[in-house]
Amino acid sequence: MARQKKRFIAGAVCPKCEAMDTLMLFIENDIEQVECVQCKHRFSEPKEQGGGSERQFDQVIGVFKPD
């Protein structure tokens, strides 16, 4: 089984405890989950709401894939 990637969301504030820079994003069962490492509050973004990477005018310059 591959190691699960977890990324912190810079500048994000937890909606429950209001701590900044404590939210991490990871994928669980093909669903993006967000969890606060301080208070353990967990939530996911509904698919129809979309994410920042789905904006109409975004342009990808390159993708960094570490080994």
Side-chain angles (χ1 to χ4, degrees), residues 43-60:
F43 59 97
S44 61
E45 184 176 278
K47 197 69 167 170
E48 56 273 1
Q49 190 174 4
S53 63
E54 297 174 2
R55 292 182 297 208
Q56 182 178 1
F57 300 107
D58 276 353
Q59 293 181 344
V60 176

Side-chain angles (χ1 to χ4, degrees), residues 8-32:
F8 279 89
I9 306 170
V13 177
C14 175
K16 185 175 180 184
C17 71
E18 299 182 353
M20 184 180 277
D21 295 332
T22 59
L23 296 181
M24 70 175 172
L25 173 71
F26 59 97
I27 296 179
E28 183 177 73
N29 299 322
D30 294 325
I31 299 171
E32 284 190 343

